[in-house]
Amino acid sequence: MTLGNALYDQKLASVYDRMYPIDHDTDQAVEYVAALTPPGGSVLELGVGTGRIAVPLAGHGFRVHGIDGSEAMLARLRERDPRGAVTTQLGDFTEEGTGRTFDTVTLVLNTFFVAVTKEQQLGCLRLVREQLAPGGRFVLEAFDPAPYHHLEKPDFSMRHLDERAVMLDTLTVDRSQQLMLSTHTIIDGGAPETREHVLRYAFPFEIDLLAELSGLRLVDRAEDWAGTPYTASSLRHVSVYERDPASPWAGTAD
């Protein structure tokens, strides 16, 4: 699959939720998406992962469908969702659609950046438009890459996973290609295991341009799920798009 560089295998899937312990953020994200979606409406999550957001949304009565390229992550989702409230699809969301339309499409926690070329990012956004119902909303959450863009030497950090495990992270940046290479080494009492992921970061207004080329237009942007105003000092953004009826793509997939 195209997104093979960013797939989470069994080892990373087993610690994924501990890598990002953001329960308060999850609650706000679920409330935000729920407020955009009509009661009983449909939601498509691209890069659904372990179902951190999808499963609670299904619990709110929405019809939720998720796509992910990692079978290990989808297996974790099924553990969280034993009743199968979220329908899932194994696939590459830059190349594969569902053949359906949804009231809301989401792409959260920097997942847009796992598409490591401009062409893949455009492919993703064009498929979003095809799968977005008229009047629907597309929600994209990502970090602002400005603090990383001028990184000139590797950055090292450590994450505490639990009382027996830590993750050592190394981040390097290639400004010429807007690529970030993250190396994760898990130390949990056994032999250390290392995984690598590549991201292609994009600045918010660059994403807006790619969206416009895909038949979408920005309607709202905040700093976070709580709706904090987006400013020059914001380190991330939650951006909402709609289908642009004036776009050359407006006549497709209606």
Side-chain angles (χ1 to χ4, degrees):
M1 292 183 183
T2 304
L3 299 180
N5 80 89
L7 297 185
Y8 284 80
D9 61 10
Q10 183 62 45
K11 185 67 173 183
L12 282 179
S14 69
V15 300
Y16 179 81
D17 288 331
R18 286 176 282 158
M19 289 171 63
Y20 303 103
I22 45 178
D23 291 342
H24 70 284
D25 206 56
T26 297
D27 294 340
Q28 291 181 340
V30 170
E31 292 175 6
Y32 189 101
V33 175
L36 285 179
T37 310
S42 56
V43 178
L44 169 64
E45 183 173 356
L46 307 178
V48 67
T50 63
R52 177 179 66 94
I53 291 175
V55 173
L57 280 172
H60 281 61
F62 299 110
R63 291 169 285 119
V64 183
H65 185 93
I67 302 177
D68 203 279
S70 168
E71 178 56 48
M73 295 287 273
L74 293 178
R76 289 282 168 172
L77 185 155
R78 288 191 288 270
E79 291 176 5
R80 176 177 269 162
D81 179 33
R83 296 184 179 181
V86 177
T87 61
T88 59
Q89 176 179 335
L90 180 67
D92 177 348
F93 59 75
T94 72
E95 293 184 345
E96 303 171 41
T98 61
R100 301 162 49 194
T101 59
F102 298 83
D103 297 306
T104 307
V105 178
T106 68
L107 186 56
V108 304
L109 201 61
N110 316 316
T111 304
F112 180 61
F113 297 156
V114 303
V116 295
T117 68
K118 177 185 65 178
E119 290 72 24
Q120 288 178 13
Q121 291 180 349
L122 278 169
C124 168
L125 294 172
R126 286 171 178 166
L127 281 169
V128 166
R129 191 193 187 284
E130 289 181 13
Q131 297 173 99
L132 194 60
R137 292 291 185 269
F138 168 49
V139 185
L140 184 151
E141 178 201 14
F143 63 81
D144 190 310
Y148 304 98
H149 186 60
H150 296 290
L151 193 67
E152 295 183 350
K153 57 184 179 180
D155 179 73
F156 301 95
S157 61
M158 182 177 72
R159 290 186 246 201
H160 179 264
L161 300 178
D162 58 35
E163 64 276 5
R164 295 178 297 175
V166 297
M167 177 178 286
L168 306 180
D169 296 325
T170 303
L171 173 67
T172 57
V173 175
D174 178 353
R175 289 200 297 269
S176 67
Q177 302 294 319
Q178 293 185 195
L179 294 177
M180 304 175 71
L181 172 63
S182 296
T183 302
H184 308 296
T185 301
I186 300 172
I187 300 176
D188 58 4
E193 298 187 46
T194 298
R195 304 290 188 272
E196 293 185 343
H197 287 123
V198 178
L199 302 179
R200 181 193 183 270
Y201 61 85
F203 292 86
F205 297 115
E206 181 183 0
I207 297 174
D208 294 346
L209 178 58
L210 294 174
E212 289 174 12
L213 292 172
S214 305
L216 300 165
R217 65 182 179 190
L218 181 72
V219 294
D220 191 28
R221 172 167 288 143
E223 176 180 297
D224 52 31
W225 296 110
T228 304
Y230 180 81
T231 68
S233 62
S234 298
L235 298 179
R236 64 172 177 158
H237 60 101
V238 176
S239 300
V240 181
Y241 300 86
E242 67 180 3
R243 296 171 59 164
D244 183 359
S247 166
W249 295 85
T252 65
D254 284 328

